[in-house]
mmCIF file of all heavy atoms in Angstrom:
data_model
loop_
_atom_site.group_PDB
_atom_site.id
_atom_site.type_symbol
_atom_site.label_atom_id
_atom_site.label_comp_id
_atom_site.label_asym_id
_atom_site.label_seq_id
_atom_site.Cartn_x
_atom_site.Cartn_y
_atom_site.Cartn_z
ATOM 1 N N SER T 1 -7.621 12.880 10.659
ATOM 2 C CA SER T 1 -7.685 11.794 9.749
ATOM 3 C C SER T 1 -7.528 12.259 8.286
ATOM 4 O O SER T 1 -7.868 13.372 7.956
ATOM 5 C CB SER T 1 -9.077 11.061 9.854
ATOM 6 O OG SER T 1 -9.255 10.534 11.162
ATOM 7 N N LEU T 2 -7.006 11.360 7.475
ATOM 8 C CA LEU T 2 -6.905 11.545 6.050
ATOM 9 C C LEU T 2 -7.223 10.254 5.317
ATOM 10 O O LEU T 2 -6.898 9.167 5.871
ATOM 11 C CB LEU T 2 -5.538 12.075 5.627
ATOM 12 C CG LEU T 2 -5.166 13.498 5.903
ATOM 13 C CD1 LEU T 2 -3.710 13.719 5.529
ATOM 14 C CD2 LEU T 2 -6.050 14.464 5.108
ATOM 15 N N ARG T 3 -7.716 10.309 4.158
ATOM 16 C CA ARG T 3 -7.915 9.112 3.311
ATOM 17 C C ARG T 3 -7.153 9.308 2.002
ATOM 18 O O ARG T 3 -7.438 10.237 1.248
ATOM 19 C CB ARG T 3 -9.380 8.850 3.016
ATOM 20 C CG ARG T 3 -9.595 7.522 2.294
ATOM 21 C CD ARG T 3 -11.045 7.392 1.770
ATOM 22 N NE ARG T 3 -11.290 8.283 0.649
ATOM 23 C CZ ARG T 3 -12.448 8.346 0.029
ATOM 24 N NH1 ARG T 3 -13.458 7.603 0.373
ATOM 25 N NH2 ARG T 3 -12.585 9.171 -0.990
ATOM 26 N N LEU T 4 -6.164 8.459 1.775
ATOM 27 C CA LEU T 4 -5.425 8.447 0.535
ATOM 28 C C LEU T 4 -6.020 7.447 -0.435
ATOM 29 O O LEU T 4 -6.483 6.395 -0.018
ATOM 30 C CB LEU T 4 -3.964 8.087 0.758
ATOM 31 C CG LEU T 4 -3.181 8.873 1.824
ATOM 32 C CD1 LEU T 4 -1.720 8.400 1.868
ATOM 33 C CD2 LEU T 4 -3.270 10.386 1.499
ATOM 34 N N SER T 5 -6.098 7.825 -1.700
ATOM 35 C CA SER T 5 -6.607 6.915 -2.740
ATOM 36 C C SER T 5 -5.581 6.748 -3.853
ATOM 37 O O SER T 5 -4.845 7.694 -4.145
ATOM 38 C CB SER T 5 -7.894 7.477 -3.322
ATOM 39 O OG SER T 5 -8.960 7.469 -2.308
ATOM 40 N N CYS T 6 -5.558 5.584 -4.414
ATOM 41 C CA CYS T 6 -4.647 5.272 -5.531
ATOM 42 C C CYS T 6 -5.457 4.632 -6.639
ATOM 43 O O CYS T 6 -6.039 3.575 -6.432
ATOM 44 C CB CYS T 6 -3.525 4.325 -5.047
ATOM 45 S SG CYS T 6 -2.451 3.741 -6.393
ATOM 46 N N ALA T 7 -5.516 5.279 -7.790
ATOM 47 C CA ALA T 7 -6.171 4.769 -8.934
ATOM 48 C C ALA T 7 -5.182 4.125 -9.892
ATOM 49 O O ALA T 7 -4.157 4.737 -10.202
ATOM 50 C CB ALA T 7 -6.953 5.839 -9.673
ATOM 51 N N ALA T 8 -5.441 2.906 -10.268
ATOM 52 C CA ALA T 8 -4.528 2.164 -11.196
ATOM 53 C C ALA T 8 -5.057 2.241 -12.594
ATOM 54 O O ALA T 8 -6.181 1.763 -12.857
ATOM 55 C CB ALA T 8 -4.390 0.705 -10.734
ATOM 56 N N LEU T 9 -4.292 2.806 -13.509
ATOM 57 C CA LEU T 9 -4.699 2.901 -14.906
ATOM 58 C C LEU T 9 -3.899 1.884 -15.708
ATOM 59 O O LEU T 9 -2.635 1.959 -15.767
ATOM 60 C CB LEU T 9 -4.455 4.318 -15.432
ATOM 61 C CG LEU T 9 -5.051 5.461 -14.550
ATOM 62 C CD1 LEU T 9 -4.664 6.826 -15.169
ATOM 63 C CD2 LEU T 9 -6.541 5.293 -14.423
ATOM 64 N N GLY T 10 -4.575 0.931 -16.306
ATOM 65 C CA GLY T 10 -3.898 -0.055 -17.102
ATOM 66 C C GLY T 10 -3.675 -1.406 -16.400
ATOM 67 O O GLY T 10 -3.034 -2.300 -16.953
ATOM 68 N N GLY T 11 -4.119 -1.536 -15.186
ATOM 69 C CA GLY T 11 -3.962 -2.762 -14.400
ATOM 70 C C GLY T 11 -5.124 -2.899 -13.447
ATOM 71 O O GLY T 11 -5.748 -1.937 -13.065
ATOM 72 N N ARG T 12 -5.381 -4.154 -13.028
ATOM 73 C CA ARG T 12 -6.443 -4.435 -12.093
ATOM 74 C C ARG T 12 -5.872 -4.609 -10.702
ATOM 75 O O ARG T 12 -5.035 -5.488 -10.471
ATOM 76 C CB ARG T 12 -7.205 -5.710 -12.517
ATOM 77 C CG ARG T 12 -7.989 -5.591 -13.814
ATOM 78 C CD ARG T 12 -8.591 -6.937 -14.196
ATOM 79 N NE ARG T 12 -9.490 -7.403 -13.174
ATOM 80 C CZ ARG T 12 -9.977 -8.630 -13.135
ATOM 81 N NH1 ARG T 12 -9.632 -9.500 -14.032
ATOM 82 N NH2 ARG T 12 -10.838 -8.969 -12.139
ATOM 83 N N VAL T 13 -6.349 -3.853 -9.766
ATOM 84 C CA VAL T 13 -5.870 -3.928 -8.374
ATOM 85 C C VAL T 13 -6.283 -5.253 -7.741
ATOM 86 O O VAL T 13 -5.669 -5.718 -6.765
ATOM 87 C CB VAL T 13 -6.379 -2.754 -7.507
ATOM 88 C CG1 VAL T 13 -5.906 -1.449 -8.121
ATOM 89 C CG2 VAL T 13 -7.911 -2.765 -7.363
ATOM 90 N N THR T 14 -7.294 -5.928 -8.265
ATOM 91 C CA THR T 14 -7.767 -7.203 -7.694
ATOM 92 C C THR T 14 -6.812 -8.344 -7.911
ATOM 93 O O THR T 14 -6.832 -9.317 -7.153
ATOM 94 C CB THR T 14 -9.154 -7.582 -8.268
ATOM 95 O OG1 THR T 14 -9.078 -7.624 -9.707
ATOM 96 C CG2 THR T 14 -10.197 -6.582 -7.861
ATOM 97 N N VAL T 15 -5.927 -8.276 -8.924
ATOM 98 C CA VAL T 15 -5.019 -9.358 -9.205
ATOM 99 C C VAL T 15 -3.575 -9.009 -8.766
ATOM 100 O O VAL T 15 -2.673 -9.807 -8.942
ATOM 101 C CB VAL T 15 -5.008 -9.709 -10.681
ATOM 102 C CG1 VAL T 15 -6.424 -10.127 -11.113
ATOM 103 C CG2 VAL T 15 -4.510 -8.562 -11.547
ATOM 104 N N ALA T 16 -3.394 -7.840 -8.211
ATOM 105 C CA ALA T 16 -2.062 -7.364 -7.836
ATOM 106 C C ALA T 16 -1.916 -7.266 -6.331
ATOM 107 O O ALA T 16 -2.885 -7.180 -5.602
ATOM 108 C CB ALA T 16 -1.770 -5.995 -8.461
ATOM 109 N N THR T 17 -0.663 -7.330 -5.865
ATOM 110 C CA THR T 17 -0.334 -6.954 -4.531
ATOM 111 C C THR T 17 -0.199 -5.435 -4.481
ATOM 112 O O THR T 17 0.660 -4.873 -5.174
ATOM 113 C CB THR T 17 0.931 -7.645 -4.041
ATOM 114 O OG1 THR T 17 0.706 -9.038 -3.983
ATOM 115 C CG2 THR T 17 1.328 -7.124 -2.629
ATOM 116 N N MET T 18 -1.034 -4.782 -3.678
ATOM 117 C CA MET T 18 -1.028 -3.329 -3.609
ATOM 118 C C MET T 18 -0.482 -2.902 -2.255
ATOM 119 O O MET T 18 -0.794 -3.514 -1.225
ATOM 120 C CB MET T 18 -2.437 -2.758 -3.805
ATOM 121 C CG MET T 18 -3.098 -3.140 -5.101
ATOM 122 S SD MET T 18 -2.231 -2.490 -6.543
ATOM 123 C CE MET T 18 -2.314 -0.729 -6.207
ATOM 124 N N GLY T 19 0.359 -1.860 -2.275
ATOM 125 C CA GLY T 19 0.947 -1.378 -1.035
ATOM 126 C C GLY T 19 1.011 0.114 -0.981
ATOM 127 O O GLY T 19 1.040 0.779 -2.009
ATOM 128 N N TRP T 20 1.066 0.634 0.233
ATOM 129 C CA TRP T 20 1.417 2.027 0.519
ATOM 130 C C TRP T 20 2.718 2.088 1.254
ATOM 131 O O TRP T 20 2.889 1.362 2.242
ATOM 132 C CB TRP T 20 0.313 2.687 1.344
ATOM 133 C CG TRP T 20 -0.924 3.057 0.540
ATOM 134 C CD1 TRP T 20 -2.086 2.321 0.466
ATOM 135 C CD2 TRP T 20 -1.119 4.207 -0.211
ATOM 136 N NE1 TRP T 20 -3.006 3.024 -0.327
ATOM 137 C CE2 TRP T 20 -2.450 4.151 -0.780
ATOM 138 C CE3 TRP T 20 -0.322 5.350 -0.525
ATOM 139 C CZ2 TRP T 20 -2.920 5.178 -1.591
ATOM 140 C CZ3 TRP T 20 -0.816 6.298 -1.352
ATOM 141 C CH2 TRP T 20 -2.100 6.220 -1.849
ATOM 142 N N TYR T 21 3.620 2.868 0.749
ATOM 143 C CA TYR T 21 4.911 3.123 1.354
ATOM 144 C C TYR T 21 5.012 4.611 1.736
ATOM 145 O O TYR T 21 4.290 5.434 1.188
ATOM 146 C CB TYR T 21 6.029 2.748 0.402
ATOM 147 C CG TYR T 21 6.183 1.261 0.168
ATOM 148 C CD1 TYR T 21 5.227 0.557 -0.554
ATOM 149 C CD2 TYR T 21 7.300 0.555 0.671
ATOM 150 C CE1 TYR T 21 5.352 -0.785 -0.818
ATOM 151 C CE2 TYR T 21 7.403 -0.809 0.424
ATOM 152 C CZ TYR T 21 6.443 -1.471 -0.303
ATOM 153 O OH TYR T 21 6.576 -2.822 -0.539
ATOM 154 N N ARG T 22 5.926 4.916 2.576
ATOM 155 C CA ARG T 22 6.200 6.339 2.913
ATOM 156 C C ARG T 22 7.693 6.574 3.085
ATOM 157 O O ARG T 22 8.455 5.708 3.462
ATOM 158 C CB ARG T 22 5.417 6.775 4.151
ATOM 159 C CG ARG T 22 5.872 6.129 5.434
ATOM 160 C CD ARG T 22 4.919 6.524 6.572
ATOM 161 N NE ARG T 22 5.270 5.917 7.845
ATOM 162 C CZ ARG T 22 4.503 5.963 8.934
ATOM 163 N NH1 ARG T 22 3.331 6.582 8.892
ATOM 164 N NH2 ARG T 22 4.933 5.396 10.033
ATOM 165 N N GLN T 23 8.083 7.823 2.791
ATOM 166 C CA GLN T 23 9.453 8.219 2.925
ATOM 167 C C GLN T 23 9.527 9.607 3.553
ATOM 168 O O GLN T 23 9.038 10.566 2.962
ATOM 169 C CB GLN T 23 10.154 8.220 1.588
ATOM 170 C CG GLN T 23 11.656 8.494 1.643
ATOM 171 C CD GLN T 23 12.355 8.227 0.338
ATOM 172 O OE1 GLN T 23 11.710 8.210 -0.713
ATOM 173 N NE2 GLN T 23 13.663 7.998 0.400
ATOM 174 N N ALA T 24 10.114 9.703 4.712
ATOM 175 C CA ALA T 24 10.365 10.959 5.369
ATOM 176 C C ALA T 24 11.705 11.531 4.925
ATOM 177 O O ALA T 24 12.554 10.790 4.481
ATOM 178 C CB ALA T 24 10.339 10.811 6.895
ATOM 179 N N PRO T 25 11.893 12.860 5.047
ATOM 180 C CA PRO T 25 13.151 13.464 4.616
ATOM 181 C C PRO T 25 14.360 12.783 5.302
ATOM 182 O O PRO T 25 14.371 12.625 6.529
ATOM 183 C CB PRO T 25 13.049 14.930 5.080
ATOM 184 C CG PRO T 25 11.573 15.151 5.071
ATOM 185 C CD PRO T 25 10.960 13.876 5.529
ATOM 186 N N GLY T 26 15.385 12.429 4.492
ATOM 187 C CA GLY T 26 16.550 11.825 5.046
ATOM 188 C C GLY T 26 16.469 10.376 5.415
ATOM 189 O O GLY T 26 17.390 9.805 5.998
ATOM 190 N N LYS T 27 15.286 9.733 5.186
ATOM 191 C CA LYS T 27 15.117 8.363 5.556
ATOM 192 C C LYS T 27 14.759 7.492 4.352
ATOM 193 O O LYS T 27 14.439 8.021 3.309
ATOM 194 C CB LYS T 27 13.999 8.221 6.625
ATOM 195 C CG LYS T 27 14.229 9.031 7.870
ATOM 196 C CD LYS T 27 13.173 8.837 8.926
ATOM 197 C CE LYS T 27 13.264 7.452 9.542
ATOM 198 N NZ LYS T 27 12.298 7.264 10.651
ATOM 199 N N GLN T 28 14.821 6.185 4.518
ATOM 200 C CA GLN T 28 14.518 5.270 3.434
ATOM 201 C C GLN T 28 12.994 5.152 3.227
ATOM 202 O O GLN T 28 12.243 5.514 4.164
ATOM 203 C CB GLN T 28 15.104 3.915 3.686
ATOM 204 C CG GLN T 28 14.522 3.163 4.891
ATOM 205 C CD GLN T 28 15.114 1.781 5.123
ATOM 206 O OE1 GLN T 28 15.918 1.311 4.322
ATOM 207 N NE2 GLN T 28 14.735 1.161 6.181
ATOM 208 N N ARG T 29 12.600 4.607 2.112
ATOM 209 C CA ARG T 29 11.180 4.355 1.845
ATOM 210 C C ARG T 29 10.783 3.052 2.509
ATOM 211 O O ARG T 29 11.356 1.999 2.225
ATOM 212 C CB ARG T 29 10.928 4.279 0.327
ATOM 213 C CG ARG T 29 9.445 4.164 -0.034
ATOM 214 C CD ARG T 29 9.277 4.179 -1.536
ATOM 215 N NE ARG T 29 9.755 5.422 -2.162
ATOM 216 C CZ ARG T 29 9.611 5.714 -3.463
ATOM 217 N NH1 ARG T 29 8.999 4.886 -4.253
ATOM 218 N NH2 ARG T 29 10.058 6.876 -3.908
ATOM 219 N N ASP T 30 9.782 3.087 3.337
ATOM 220 C CA ASP T 30 9.363 1.945 4.149
ATOM 221 C C ASP T 30 7.913 1.569 3.843
ATOM 222 O O ASP T 30 7.095 2.460 3.538
ATOM 223 C CB ASP T 30 9.514 2.223 5.648
ATOM 224 C CG ASP T 30 10.931 2.390 6.084
ATOM 225 O OD1 ASP T 30 11.794 1.693 5.520
ATOM 226 O OD2 ASP T 30 11.221 3.191 6.987
ATOM 227 N N LEU T 31 7.653 0.318 3.961
ATOM 228 C CA LEU T 31 6.250 -0.201 3.832
ATOM 229 C C LEU T 31 5.391 0.302 4.959
ATOM 230 O O LEU T 31 5.794 0.236 6.131
ATOM 231 C CB LEU T 31 6.260 -1.734 3.779
ATOM 232 C CG LEU T 31 4.895 -2.378 3.764
ATOM 233 C CD1 LEU T 31 4.184 -2.176 2.429
ATOM 234 C CD2 LEU T 31 5.005 -3.857 4.079
ATOM 235 N N VAL T 32 4.208 0.757 4.661
ATOM 236 C CA VAL T 32 3.228 1.143 5.647
ATOM 237 C C VAL T 32 2.110 0.076 5.728
ATOM 238 O O VAL T 32 1.788 -0.399 6.837
ATOM 239 C CB VAL T 32 2.569 2.527 5.313
ATOM 240 C CG1 VAL T 32 1.510 2.869 6.335
ATOM 241 C CG2 VAL T 32 3.648 3.587 5.271
ATOM 242 N N ALA T 33 1.553 -0.297 4.590
ATOM 243 C CA ALA T 33 0.486 -1.281 4.558
ATOM 244 C C ALA T 33 0.489 -1.983 3.214
ATOM 245 O O ALA T 33 0.854 -1.409 2.208
ATOM 246 C CB ALA T 33 -0.869 -0.604 4.821
ATOM 247 N N ARG T 34 0.005 -3.254 3.219
ATOM 248 C CA ARG T 34 -0.043 -3.996 2.002
ATOM 249 C C ARG T 34 -1.315 -4.861 2.022
ATOM 250 O O ARG T 34 -1.697 -5.367 3.085
ATOM 251 C CB ARG T 34 1.189 -4.923 1.911
ATOM 252 C CG ARG T 34 1.194 -5.843 0.723
ATOM 253 C CD ARG T 34 2.240 -6.971 0.856
ATOM 254 N NE ARG T 34 3.613 -6.433 0.834
ATOM 255 C CZ ARG T 34 4.483 -6.596 1.866
ATOM 256 N NH1 ARG T 34 4.130 -7.244 2.912
ATOM 257 N NH2 ARG T 34 5.678 -6.091 1.732
ATOM 258 N N ILE T 35 -1.917 -5.027 0.848
ATOM 259 C CA ILE T 35 -3.044 -5.936 0.720
ATOM 260 C C ILE T 35 -2.668 -6.948 -0.351
ATOM 261 O O ILE T 35 -2.481 -6.622 -1.520
ATOM 262 C CB ILE T 35 -4.356 -5.164 0.417
ATOM 263 C CG1 ILE T 35 -5.537 -6.153 0.334
ATOM 264 C CG2 ILE T 35 -4.252 -4.310 -0.852
ATOM 265 C CD1 ILE T 35 -6.877 -5.470 0.464
ATOM 266 N N VAL T 36 -2.552 -8.202 0.050
ATOM 267 C CA VAL T 36 -2.164 -9.303 -0.812
ATOM 268 C C VAL T 36 -3.359 -9.944 -1.467
ATOM 269 O O VAL T 36 -3.301 -10.269 -2.683
ATOM 270 C CB VAL T 36 -1.358 -10.371 -0.026
ATOM 271 C CG1 VAL T 36 -0.908 -11.521 -0.955
ATOM 272 C CG2 VAL T 36 -0.152 -9.726 0.644
ATOM 273 N N ARG T 37 -4.388 -10.117 -0.748
ATOM 274 C CA ARG T 37 -5.666 -10.570 -1.228
ATOM 275 C C ARG T 37 -6.741 -9.631 -0.654
ATOM 276 O O ARG T 37 -6.424 -8.830 0.222
ATOM 277 C CB ARG T 37 -5.960 -11.997 -0.821
ATOM 278 C CG ARG T 37 -4.997 -13.033 -1.302
ATOM 279 C CD ARG T 37 -5.180 -13.318 -2.788
ATOM 280 N NE ARG T 37 -4.339 -14.429 -3.211
ATOM 281 C CZ ARG T 37 -3.086 -14.316 -3.648
ATOM 282 N NH1 ARG T 37 -2.516 -13.081 -3.688
ATOM 283 N NH2 ARG T 37 -2.409 -15.391 -4.010
ATOM 284 N N ASP T 38 -7.948 -9.754 -1.132
ATOM 285 C CA ASP T 38 -9.006 -8.865 -0.665
ATOM 286 C C ASP T 38 -9.197 -8.977 0.851
ATOM 287 O O ASP T 38 -9.632 -8.023 1.479
ATOM 288 C CB ASP T 38 -10.321 -9.169 -1.412
ATOM 289 C CG ASP T 38 -11.364 -8.149 -1.144
ATOM 290 O OD1 ASP T 38 -11.151 -6.956 -1.424
ATOM 291 O OD2 ASP T 38 -12.472 -8.523 -0.702
ATOM 292 N N SER T 39 -8.886 -10.154 1.402
ATOM 293 C CA SER T 39 -9.086 -10.360 2.831
ATOM 294 C C SER T 39 -7.814 -10.503 3.617
ATOM 295 O O SER T 39 -7.851 -10.797 4.818
ATOM 296 C CB SER T 39 -9.935 -11.630 3.002
ATOM 297 O OG SER T 39 -9.297 -12.775 2.440
ATOM 298 N N ILE T 40 -6.652 -10.279 3.009
ATOM 299 C CA ILE T 40 -5.360 -10.408 3.636
ATOM 300 C C ILE T 40 -4.636 -9.086 3.609
ATOM 301 O O ILE T 40 -4.364 -8.563 2.527
ATOM 302 C CB ILE T 40 -4.540 -11.521 3.016
ATOM 303 C CG1 ILE T 40 -5.260 -12.879 3.092
ATOM 304 C CG2 ILE T 40 -3.183 -11.637 3.729
ATOM 305 C CD1 ILE T 40 -4.561 -13.999 2.392
ATOM 306 N N THR T 41 -4.324 -8.537 4.779
ATOM 307 C CA THR T 41 -3.628 -7.269 4.861
ATOM 308 C C THR T 41 -2.470 -7.370 5.826
ATOM 309 O O THR T 41 -2.448 -8.215 6.731
ATOM 310 C CB THR T 41 -4.561 -6.104 5.278
ATOM 311 O OG1 THR T 41 -5.144 -6.444 6.563
ATOM 312 C CG2 THR T 41 -5.670 -5.914 4.252
ATOM 313 N N HIS T 42 -1.481 -6.481 5.680
ATOM 314 C CA HIS T 42 -0.342 -6.375 6.573
ATOM 315 C C HIS T 42 -0.037 -4.903 6.840
ATOM 316 O O HIS T 42 -0.187 -4.088 5.950
ATOM 317 C CB HIS T 42 0.870 -7.063 5.974
ATOM 318 C CG HIS T 42 0.684 -8.504 5.624
ATOM 319 N ND1 HIS T 42 0.236 -8.931 4.368
ATOM 320 C CD2 HIS T 42 0.896 -9.622 6.344
ATOM 321 C CE1 HIS T 42 0.129 -10.237 4.387
ATOM 322 N NE2 HIS T 42 0.526 -10.692 5.514
ATOM 323 N N TYR T 43 0.396 -4.644 8.081
ATOM 324 C CA TYR T 43 0.685 -3.256 8.462
ATOM 325 C C TYR T 43 2.003 -3.234 9.232
ATOM 326 O O TYR T 43 2.332 -4.165 9.988
ATOM 327 C CB TYR T 43 -0.401 -2.700 9.359
ATOM 328 C CG TYR T 43 -1.769 -2.641 8.737
ATOM 329 C CD1 TYR T 43 -2.646 -3.744 8.862
ATOM 330 C CD2 TYR T 43 -2.194 -1.533 7.988
ATOM 331 C CE1 TYR T 43 -3.896 -3.690 8.283
ATOM 332 C CE2 TYR T 43 -3.445 -1.501 7.421
ATOM 333 C CZ TYR T 43 -4.283 -2.547 7.572
ATOM 334 O OH TYR T 43 -5.551 -2.517 7.036
ATOM 335 N N VAL T 44 2.730 -2.109 9.064
ATOM 336 C CA VAL T 44 3.885 -1.916 9.941
ATOM 337 C C VAL T 44 3.345 -1.633 11.356
ATOM 338 O O VAL T 44 2.253 -1.073 11.530
ATOM 339 C CB VAL T 44 4.706 -0.709 9.401
ATOM 340 C CG1 VAL T 44 3.950 0.604 9.535
ATOM 341 C CG2 VAL T 44 6.046 -0.650 10.137
#
């Protein structure tokens, strides 16, 4: 297991759509997970 963290400087994560993307060598950047509201999430 690993836990990734993202700190936002200059903006509030509560009012934004926040996402995690990933890109493997030779491949496009793809969505992994997104949080649209505090209670709404989406995952690949």
Side-chain angles (χ1 to χ4, degrees):
S1 300
L2 285 174
R3 187 190 71 179
L4 306 183
S5 294
C6 174
L9 309 179
R12 294 175 59 193
V13 301
T14 55
V15 302
T17 294
M18 302 296 301
W20 283 98
Y21 291 70
R22 66 187 180 189
Q23 186 170 22
K27 303 184 70 176
Q28 67 180 353
R29 185 178 299 185
D30 293 325
L31 174 70
V32 177
R34 178 195 293 120
I35 183 164
V36 180
R37 300 286 187 272
D38 190 56
S39 59
I40 302 175
T41 58
H42 303 89
Y43 301 90
V44 67

